[in-house]
Amino acid sequence: MREKLTSNYDDRQYMGSDDFELYYYQDNNQNKRTGLHSHPYYEFYFFLEGHAEAQVKKDHYMLNYGDILIVPPKTSHGIFVHDFEIPYRRFDLWLSASFYGKLLAMSRDYGYVIDAAQNDDRHVIHTDRISFNSILSKLFFIVEEDKGDRFGRSMQLRISVADLVLSINRLASEQFSPRKVTKDALYQNICDYIEHNIDGNLSLDNIADHFFLSKYYISHVFKDNIGISIHQYVAKKRLQLCHEAIMGGEPISQVYSSYGFDDYSSFYRAFKKEYSLSPRKLVAQSKIDASDAMQPSDN
């Protein structure tokens, strides 16, 4: 079903939209390439598969799954595919200068990643599988929404793109400027630790040992700030990541063990309780939604 969301490769270097354009490309054959080029809009490139090399200005980057390439306007860049025996898959998001200006007017937080690219030549964000699954879920949602004709489509797309761009900035900030650990931010540091060890042993004892603090003190601080226990937070976080991974196309048989569930039956019960449907029904519903999005409008 995801294959129906792919776009035919187009080497044009201008936008047809006033705000943004998002493409999901999958190439198996050598196509005409643009080589080094620049354009007046912002580009966010999400690498999925292939043997490809990016060049931005004079810097070269061999791309790996989960890499996000940041290209500000009027910046020389190009992607060079070395082997088309491996399918070449990626998302490509273009944002107009006027649309990005509106995001910056709402918050300077939207500008962090562009500032890093323009001022420090930091053009690539490397993500882990968990973080990139979350990004993929957002990308597929935007593509499916864009191809549909649901009520509020235009506003939903703007909200979703703004959310995606903020997520990219957050990833860049965490990678380029990691925060210093402070006692006042203990609960946030616990959340970060949980996120980065979601597939490991996240018992209260293990977390307390990591921070060299009493588990009773940690439990108290965490619940006061978050409102639920660490155990509940871990369970909800794992289920959320499983949900995003499934929506991103990852097989159910791989998802539950990847995110810390010991067996399928316990995962199934927790998932159904949290989302009021089984994992397999989520997959089926996603296919129906994608199919509906491909149907022509009656207007």
Side-chain angles (χ1 to χ4, degrees):
M1 191 61 64
R2 298 294 191 192
E3 285 75 10
K4 293 185 178 181
L5 301 177
T6 59
S7 303
N8 293 323
Y9 178 72
D10 189 342
D11 63 353
R12 63 183 168 87
Q13 299 304 312
Y14 61 88
M15 289 184 63
S17 166
D18 293 333
D19 296 329
F20 66 88
E21 296 176 18
L22 175 62
Y23 301 100
Y24 175 36
Y25 291 127
Q26 177 170 315
D27 299 342
N28 293 91
N29 300 303
Q30 180 70 49
N31 293 317
K32 179 181 178 182
R33 299 288 154 184
T34 53
L36 286 176
H37 60 284
S38 63
H39 38 61
Y41 48 83
Y42 298 84
E43 182 173 13
F44 297 84
Y45 170 102
F46 309 83
F47 185 73
L48 291 166
E49 185 180 14
H51 186 193
E53 178 182 2
Q55 180 177 345
V56 184
K57 297 181 182 177
K58 295 182 179 181
D59 295 326
H60 293 256
Y61 311 90
M62 288 305 301
L63 298 171
N64 296 299
Y65 176 84
D67 284 348
I68 303 174
L69 187 70
I70 312 300
V71 183
K74 302 178 182 178
T75 301
S76 175
H77 66 284
I79 304 290
F80 304 94
V81 181
H82 297 303
D83 183 4
F84 270 96
E85 291 297 317
I86 305 171
Y88 173 37
R89 291 194 302 128
R90 70 279 187 202
F91 278 94
D92 211 352
L93 173 66
W94 298 350
L95 299 181
S96 69
S98 61
F99 183 76
Y100 212 96
K102 293 174 183 176
L103 295 180
L104 291 173
M106 290 192 294
S107 172
R108 279 299 308 170
D109 290 342
Y110 285 102
Y112 179 90
V113 72
I114 295 300
D115 290 342
Q118 291 178 324
N119 300 329
D120 302 320
D121 286 330
R122 307 198 72 159
H123 294 280
V124 177
I125 304 170
H126 304 292
T127 69
D128 56 52
R129 184 167 56 88
I130 292 174
S131 299
F132 198 58
N133 272 338
S134 178
I135 293 294
L136 279 181
S137 178
K138 297 176 190 293
L139 287 166
F140 275 120
F141 178 83
I142 293 169
V143 171
E144 291 168 355
E145 185 74 18
D146 190 36
K147 291 182 179 293
D149 191 30
R150 300 177 65 188
F151 176 81
R153 168 181 171 275
S154 179
M155 181 55 67
Q156 179 63 68
L157 283 170
R158 285 175 172 79
I159 292 171
S160 298
V161 171
D163 174 60
L164 172 65
V165 175
L166 186 59
S167 296
I168 295 168
N169 277 274
R170 178 171 288 181
L171 286 173
S173 174
E174 291 171 351
Q175 186 168 133
F176 301 157
S177 303
R179 287 186 317 238
K180 294 181 179 178
V181 175
T182 64
K183 186 174 180 180
D184 290 341
L186 174 60
Y187 79 93
Q188 185 60 62
N189 292 324
I190 295 172
C191 291
D192 291 344
Y193 177 78
I194 290 171
E195 178 128 1
H196 290 99
N197 297 275
I198 197 68
D199 58 345
N201 184 344
L202 289 173
S203 68
L204 182 56
D205 286 332
N206 273 15
I207 295 173
D209 288 344
H210 175 79
F211 288 98
F212 302 101
L213 292 169
S214 160
K215 63 181 181 182
Y216 304 105
Y217 176 70
I218 281 182
S219 297
H220 176 73
V221 170
F222 192 87
K223 191 164 186 179
D224 278 355
N225 283 276
I226 302 296
I228 57 177
S229 70
I230 290 178
H231 175 75
Q232 290 172 313
Y233 179 85
V234 169
K236 286 182 175 294
K237 190 68 178 178
R238 283 173 168 162
L239 289 169
Q240 175 194 349
L241 293 169
C242 287
H243 186 283
E244 291 174 350
I246 292 170
M247 292 297 290
E250 193 166 335
I252 296 173
S253 59
Q254 297 176 14
V255 166
Y256 73 90
S257 59
S258 297
Y259 298 108
F261 286 95
D262 294 330
D263 55 75
Y264 181 76
S265 60
S266 60
F267 162 67
Y268 176 90
R269 290 193 299 271
F271 192 95
K272 191 169 183 181
K273 182 178 181 181
E274 182 74 11
Y275 295 107
S276 299
L277 79 170
S278 70
R280 289 188 174 83
K281 284 190 176 180
L282 175 65
V283 173
Q285 185 62 53
S286 175
K287 290 180 179 179
I288 292 172
D289 290 344
S291 178
D292 289 345
M294 296 299 298
Q295 299 301 315
S297 170
D298 293 333
N299 295 330

